Amino acid sequence: GAVVSQHPSWVICKSGTSVKIECRSLDFQATTMFWYRQFPKQSLMLMATSNEGSKATYEQGVEKDKFLINHASLTLSTLTVTSAHPEDSSFYICSASGIRETQYFGPGTRLLVL
Amino acid sequence: AQTVTQSQPEMSVQEAETVTLSCTYDTSESDYYLFWYKQPPSRQMILVIRQEAYKQQNATENRFSVNFQKAAKSFSLKISDSQLGDAAMYFCAYRSAGGAQKLVFGQGTRLTINP
């Protein structure tokens, strides 16, 4: 139980294009999902908290117009990186808040912007 | 704001031996949760163990156990009978019992298992 999927696992795109990443809780409902960014050999950096049916809450320093988050259902949240640039290249991870107040993580998405 | 500190950037242990990873945290709250997550080379974050602050009993999951010292704000992870598959980055994390449910992560400890 408590499985979270993330799609795609890898994406390469050209500078200026937009990329959408999906995060799904497969066997539980998640009213709250989280989006993280991780640089090599570093810890996870929380970007935003996504609540079903409401606007996401962004962490300080994260551009909300750059990283669009939509949480349309209890099992799906999406992160769209708009007008991506090489500095947006990173590893993006989502998590869903499940049973026993525990966050379960997706496998991550590697984004490379050329 | 809460902080989590992992003072050991790297640790190594011989296969089948026991290793302890350290974690301290700072908070003024009395009710919270603590977690250890493992991130192997695949980069998938895997829950290792969780502890509720109101429970005095230390959590145990097979070969993994914690030493939770609430007064000292310490939450160490002990791995017994280390296996090659335990090699990973280990992150300690804190979560308030109420509020925004955000996790506060430590910097991580890279664990190497020597055969």
Side-chain angles (χ1 to χ4, degrees):
Chain A
V3 179
V4 177
S5 70
Q6 207 171 321
H7 179 81
S9 56
W10 261 107
V11 59
I12 302 173
C13 69
K14 293 182 179 180
S15 185
T17 61
S18 294
V19 174
K20 179 185 284 188
I21 303 169
E22 291 187 349
C23 178
R24 293 181 185 272
S25 56
L26 298 184
D27 52 2
F28 66 100
Q29 293 185 332
T31 55
T32 305
M33 291 184 171
F34 304 85
W35 288 95
Y36 297 86
R37 185 172 179 176
Q38 187 180 32
F39 294 102
K41 299 186 179 181
Q42 292 189 23
S43 189
L44 281 69
M45 181 188 78
L46 179 66
M47 298 174 66
T49 301
S50 167
N51 291 294
E52 188 265 338
S54 63
K55 290 184 178 181
T57 302
Y58 290 82
E59 295 299 301
Q60 192 172 9
V62 177
E63 300 175 59
K64 58 182 66 177
D65 294 331
K66 173 79 171 170
F67 299 99
L68 299 179
I69 292 172
N70 182 273
H71 193 155
S73 76
L74 288 172
T75 59
L76 173 64
S77 177
T78 60
L79 168 68
T80 301
V81 183
T82 62
S83 187
H85 291 285
E87 58 265 29
D88 299 323
S89 298
S90 192
F91 187 65
Y92 294 87
I93 311 175
C94 73
S95 71
S97 188
I99 57 174
R100 301 178 69 200
E101 291 78 37
T102 300
Q103 283 188 31
Y104 297 91
F105 287 81
T109 297
R110 290 169 173 79
L111 170 63
L112 177 61
V113 184
L114 302 176
Chain B
Q2 295 82 22
T3 59
V4 177
T5 301
Q6 293 177 250
S7 59
Q8 305 154 316
E10 296 184 354
M11 292 282 285
S12 63
V13 64
Q14 290 294 126
E15 192 176 3
E17 297 294 308
T18 295
V19 64
T20 298
L21 307 185
S22 300
C23 173
T24 59
Y25 57 94
D26 187 29
T27 184
S28 59
E29 299 174 336
S30 59
D31 198 12
Y32 49 85
Y33 303 92
L34 295 165
F35 305 87
W36 279 98
Y37 285 92
K38 164 186 177 180
Q39 188 178 41
S42 68
R43 302 186 80 174
Q44 164 81 62
M45 292 285 284
I46 301 166
L47 175 68
V48 175
I49 203 164
R50 71 190 294 276
Q51 174 82 43
E52 293 95 334
Y54 65 85
K55 289 187 176 179
Q56 292 186 339
Q57 186 173 10
N58 289 323
T60 298
E61 289 287 343
N62 301 313
R63 297 182 294 107
F64 299 87
S65 61
V66 297
N67 183 4
F68 173 48
Q69 300 290 327
K70 190 172 184 179
K73 297 179 183 176
S74 171
F75 183 61
S76 61
L77 175 69
K78 186 172 83 170
I79 306 174
S80 303
D81 185 25
S82 297
Q83 300 176 0
L84 294 177
D86 295 333
M89 196 75 168
Y90 285 80
F91 292 99
C92 177
Y94 171 103
R95 207 212 92 167
S96 298
Q101 305 177 42
K102 296 192 289 187
L103 286 176
V104 178
F105 283 96
Q107 306 92 319
T109 296
R110 181 169 301 282
L111 178 63
T112 302
I113 311 296
N114 300 313

